[in-house]
Amino acid sequence: MSELRKVNVDGKEIEVPGHYTLMQACEEAGAEIPRFCYHERLSVAGNCRMCLVEWVGAPKPMASCAMSINDLRPNRDGSPANIRTDSAVVKKAREGVMEFLLINHPLDCPICDQGGECDLQDQAVAYGRGQTRYEEDKRAVEEKNMGPLVKTNMTRCIQCTRCVRFISEVAGVEELGLVNRGEGAEITTYLQANLTSELSGNVIDLCPVGALTSRPYAFNARPWELRKTESVDVMDAVGSNIRVDARGSEVMRILPRNNDDVNEEWISDKTRFVWDGLKRQRLDKPYVRKNGKLVPVRWAEALDVVAKRLKGDPERIAALAGDLCDMESMKALKDLMSSLGVTSLDCRVDGAAIGGHRDGQGREGYVFNSGIAGIDEADAILLIGTNPRMEAPIINARIRGAWLNNEANIGVIGEAADLTYPFEHLGTGPADIAAFAGKRGGFTAMFKKAKRPMIIVGMGAVARPDGAQVLREIGKLAATMKVVREDWNGFNVLHTAAARVGGLDIGFTPTNGGTDLAGTLKKCGTGEMDTVYLLGADEIDMSALGKAFVIYQGSHGDAGAHRADVILPGAAYTEKDALYTNTEGRMQDGLRAVFPKGEAREDWTIIRALSDHIDRTLPYDNLADLRATIRRPDAIAFDPAKLGKSGKVTAKAFASPITDYYLTNPITRASAIMAECAANVLGVKQAAE
């Protein structure tokens, strides 16, 4: 922490850390400083000059983003340096800069998708001249093909280079650059290739003009037409904070909200562009299978059919909760099944061998204990059985930030994928965990000496038949390396499903001799299981359900609906007020942006209505009462060495469960945009081969 320095801003004397830029100091004093190229999370470029301020006594205005308080010298009488943000000199300088920026800008605001949200528009009004002195012809720049997500109009570009710095610094792929000089300068992709980063859509938000806009959203709506709803993303387990913009009954776009502890101000491309999947392949009415065909019926009939099946032998009934479920629906279904005596419940539809209630390790055995923001503090990170670039791009960007800014050393046991940062590949399978612990030098020695060591365990390590045994080996490693300390818990589980931690928190797992996913599917195959209730569970092997009667409750016509004997249409995540707990155990509230489609209903209300038909009425009639019953597990002393269970492990290498990043759940598989992205990635891979 640098020492405090005094500075006089517009006649107001303040004291700020010496490493502050003039821009930060001026804003601390309450002054507004316009800018185009500067961004708090990117390196300083200092090339737009819009942030000019006057240092009294200096020969010319200063770029406030590129000069620190430590660079200022006091006045001759020893008083603090004087900075002016509203003097005639500053006003003239800013008007000149704006005039230069608009020399070649096409001024096509009426047809620009950035209209109404454009920094150039706003600052031209606030700081620009009323006319220009330039009458020369404007230059034009050829459009660039950056792929299916980012639409370009590079004639509007003011060369602020925000996009270039984001792609190289945060996303970690060198795919954008500024070529040529002077009037010929332009931003382009290298070799005219498409952007391949899973975070590429963030350049749309960063662009202060209309040079980079959303291709799928192009010409769809104006910002003042849209209702804006704050919510939470469910495309992965990060729980990114988002804003859902809707018009009428349709979601038009999804944008990020700032949360420094979770996603900062970035979101993944899957989060941003999946909105078109919310209106395709929707389940909008109940169905019952009659004579081999699904036939639309009234709600009362569908619930009666389900009620009849659930009144059978509870030992022959099971319930599985999928990746996108909210906590309220899982709690309601758990309560209903418990009232019926059903003990075969599971929310781990990937077969992961985790669950603190069963192994006595509490929440710390299955959450990201250091917190996502804790990655910034880590100085040594070991990734086991995970490819965070595919499973959680936001967390992968955080890991890159730790390497870039904190010089963190990174090791990988698993796939040697392109993670956008250098790492030491320490092995591929379970045997390499013990081998790593036994080494004396290299990355092992570095990891032992680290002040903030971190182990990140992916589903590729624990969602396998020997997952419990692998987890025990990882736990022993964590104990040996003292990853869990009094002031630091670096044992982290990286989930891939938004519903997983919430399901484990409420105990949506087998009890009193009930079967888990594998046991349920096995019993279905042998005919020992009569009825299976799928709550949005589409990622299981439907063929393994055998002749069991399948009740599917969900929002999209995906694998579960195709196999179902009864379909109960539920709401998508943008259509209900719901709680989601992310991979670090942070419970967040998603708000309804639009109403469910057709006759679909919010999921917990369907289960509540069903309980009436079974004569097991649940004790809550509204969302507040239901939420009051949701409790987190009690804290338990955590010993990583006791995780999982002892036994032999196979030599099979770890593999990430995400094989196609853009097609991981029913909503993405219904999205034409995601399908185009998947095809684009496949084309890039084939071209590289």
Side-chain angles (χ1 to χ4, degrees):
M1 183 71 178
S2 57
E3 62 177 303
L4 297 177
R5 295 280 304 274
K6 290 183 178 180
V7 63
N8 188 302
V9 179
D10 294 335
K12 179 180 179 180
E13 188 173 297
I14 62 170
E15 198 171 40
V16 295
H19 68 271
Y20 268 33
T21 63
L22 294 188
M23 179 183 289
Q24 290 172 307
C26 291
E27 292 186 335
E28 192 80 12
E32 182 178 324
I33 306 295
R35 80 291 297 269
F36 289 115
C37 68
Y38 177 79
H39 191 277
E40 291 81 357
R41 303 190 194 278
L42 304 177
S43 61
V44 174
N47 54 6
C48 79
R49 321 308 286 182
M50 195 64 206
C51 65
L52 293 174
V53 297
E54 180 186 6
W55 177 13
V56 177
K60 60 182 181 179
M62 305 290 174
S64 62
C65 71
M67 190 172 188
S68 74
I69 296 299
N70 284 330
D71 295 330
L72 300 177
R73 56 171 173 75
N75 297 323
R76 291 182 183 277
D77 60 0
S79 61
N82 295 311
I83 302 297
R84 297 290 177 264
T85 69
D86 56 0
S87 65
V89 171
V90 173
K91 185 174 184 295
K92 181 179 180 181
R94 289 175 180 169
E95 287 179 350
V97 169
M98 183 59 69
E99 194 172 9
F100 275 119
L101 290 175
L102 294 176
I103 290 173
N104 287 309
H105 194 79
L107 302 177
D108 55 351
C109 303
I111 63 165
C112 177
D113 264 332
Q114 198 80 350
E117 300 174 310
C118 178
D119 292 346
L120 190 63
Q121 277 183 331
D122 297 340
Q123 294 184 38
V125 171
Y127 304 103
R129 292 167 54 90
Q131 70 250 0
T132 180
R133 291 167 287 181
Y134 288 88
E135 297 179 353
E136 289 77 11
D137 292 338
K138 294 177 181 285
R139 76 163 187 167
V141 180
E142 183 181 351
E143 301 312 323
K144 310 297 185 292
N145 180 18
M146 294 189 181
L149 302 179
V150 181
K151 183 176 183 291
T152 67
N153 191 323
M154 302 312 290
T155 302
R156 300 171 185 156
C157 180
I158 59 172
Q159 284 89 47
C160 71
T161 69
R162 278 186 181 182
C163 56
V164 175
R165 285 174 283 147
F166 172 82
I167 286 293
S168 61
E169 295 169 15
V170 179
V173 292
E174 302 289 344
E175 295 180 341
L176 279 180
L178 183 68
V179 298
N180 305 326
R181 301 181 65 184
E183 189 180 12
E186 58 182 276
I187 288 174
T188 183
T189 57
Y190 293 114
L191 302 176
Q192 303 297 312
N194 293 347
L195 296 178
T196 61
S197 171
E198 298 76 27
L199 300 170
S200 64
N202 290 288
V203 300
I204 297 167
D205 297 331
L206 287 171
C207 185
V209 295
L212 302 177
T213 57
S214 170
R215 186 179 294 278
Y217 175 72
F219 310 123
N220 277 359
R222 287 298 194 183
W224 53 84
E225 301 175 327
L226 305 176
R227 296 190 315 276
K228 301 166 179 62
T229 307
E230 295 184 350
S231 192
V232 179
D233 173 55
V234 299
M235 292 299 109
D236 54 33
V238 175
S240 298
N241 288 209
I242 59 174
R243 192 187 86 193
V244 181
D245 288 359
R247 183 176 62 188
S249 62
E250 188 175 343
V251 173
M252 303 299 292
R253 65 177 179 178
I254 297 173
L255 299 176
R257 285 190 295 129
N258 187 76
N259 188 326
D260 289 344
D261 292 332
V262 182
N263 58 304
E264 298 179 300
E265 59 188 84
W266 320 124
I267 54 175
S268 69
D269 290 347
K270 185 160 56 176
T271 298
R272 182 185 298 269
F273 295 106
V274 77
W275 48 265
D276 74 316
L278 293 167
K279 58 186 178 183
R280 292 189 171 93
Q281 298 183 19
R282 292 302 304 269
L283 300 174
D284 58 358
K285 59 184 68 175
Y287 288 85
V288 172
R289 191 175 296 277
K290 297 179 180 179
N291 299 321
K293 293 185 178 181
L294 287 169
V295 179
V297 297
R298 294 185 178 275
W299 267 108
E301 181 180 345
L303 293 177
D304 282 340
V305 172
V306 173
K308 183 179 179 181
R309 299 297 307 194
L310 293 181
K311 288 179 180 178
D313 183 355
E315 292 186 1
R316 301 177 70 87
I317 300 172
L320 302 174
D323 293 348
L324 306 183
C325 294
D326 57 274
M327 292 188 70
E328 293 92 341
S329 63
M330 288 188 287
K331 182 64 167 67
L333 183 58
K334 179 179 184 292
D335 289 348
L336 177 60
M337 291 298 167
S338 297
S339 71
L340 294 169
V342 176
T343 58
S344 297
L345 311 173
D346 209 348
C347 64
R348 301 156 303 180
V349 292
D350 57 357
I354 50 176
H357 304 293
R358 189 174 56 182
D359 57 29
Q361 291 300 300
R363 292 183 97 227
E364 290 178 294
Y366 59 80
V367 299
F368 207 94
N369 290 290
S370 68
I372 294 172
I375 296 173
D376 300 341
E377 303 176 36
D379 50 358
I381 302 174
L382 177 61
L383 306 176
I384 302 178
T386 181
N387 178 351
R389 183 173 177 184
M390 295 290 104
E391 297 165 25
I394 297 297
I395 286 181
N396 194 63
R398 285 270 194 177
I399 297 173
R400 174 176 167 79
W403 165 74
L404 197 62
N405 305 318
N406 203 29
E407 298 183 350
N409 296 293
I410 301 165
V412 171
I413 298 178
E415 296 175 296
D418 178 9
L419 299 179
T420 73
Y421 41 80
F423 58 84
E424 186 170 340
H425 193 218
L426 304 167
T428 60
D432 298 301
I433 298 173
F436 169 75
K439 292 180 181 177
R440 293 188 176 182
F443 189 85
T444 302
M446 198 182 306
F447 197 80
K448 286 182 178 179
K449 294 178 182 177
K451 295 180 180 179
R452 289 283 189 269
M454 178 181 290
I455 292 176
I456 299 179
V457 182
M459 292 300 103
V462 295
R464 42 189 276 163
D466 61 348
Q469 291 77 19
V470 172
L471 188 60
R472 173 59 61 94
E473 296 300 315
I474 297 172
K476 288 180 182 177
L477 175 65
T480 301
M481 297 294 179
K482 296 181 179 179
V483 168
V484 180
R485 306 172 184 180
E486 188 174 337
D487 61 339
W488 173 256
N489 189 339
F491 180 83
N492 298 313
V493 177
L494 178 57
H495 293 273
T496 58
R500 194 61 39 77
V501 174
L504 293 173
D505 275 355
I506 65 173
F508 203 96
T509 50
T511 57
N512 300 325
T515 58
D516 58 8
L517 172 74
T520 295
L521 295 182
K522 183 178 179 180
K523 282 190 174 183
C524 286
T526 59
E528 299 174 70
M529 192 69 73
D530 292 334
T531 304
V532 179
Y533 198 120
L534 301 181
L535 182 61
D538 292 273
E539 312 308 321
I540 66 173
D541 180 6
M542 296 298 167
S543 64
L545 293 174
K547 296 181 179 180
F549 187 88
V550 176
I551 304 156
Y552 178 79
Q553 179 178 331
S555 61
H556 284 71
D558 204 70
H562 292 164
R563 172 60 183 82
D565 295 291
V566 176
I567 294 176
L568 306 177
Y573 71 105
T574 55
E575 299 164 0
K576 55 188 173 184
D577 294 332
L579 294 174
Y580 299 94
T581 302
N582 73 351
T583 191
E584 61 179 348
R586 181 188 300 268
M587 188 184 294
Q588 300 182 106
D589 195 359
L591 300 180
R592 182 177 61 203
V594 295
F595 287 93
K597 307 301 180 190
E599 298 179 34
R601 297 292 182 265
E602 294 186 27
D603 292 282
W604 79 268
T605 64
I606 296 173
I607 298 166
R608 172 63 178 77
L610 177 60
S611 70
D612 283 341
H613 285 253
I614 312 177
D615 299 324
R616 295 287 195 280
T617 302
L618 295 175
Y620 29 76
D621 296 322
N622 56 62
L623 195 60
D625 290 345
L626 171 53
R627 287 181 174 179
T629 67
I630 295 176
R631 298 279 188 275
R632 287 184 176 179
D634 295 331
I636 299 174
F638 179 58
D639 181 359
K642 295 180 180 179
L643 285 169
K645 61 182 180 181
S646 300
K648 293 184 179 181
V649 296
T650 65
K652 185 179 179 182
F654 297 139
S656 173
I658 306 296
T659 55
D660 192 331
Y661 167 73
Y662 292 103
L663 303 174
T664 56
N665 60 60
I667 303 177
T668 60
R669 289 190 286 270
S671 167
I673 301 171
M674 293 296 99
E676 190 174 356
C677 290
N680 178 56
V681 170
L682 182 61
V684 170
K685 287 182 179 179
Q686 290 175 344
E689 293 171 356

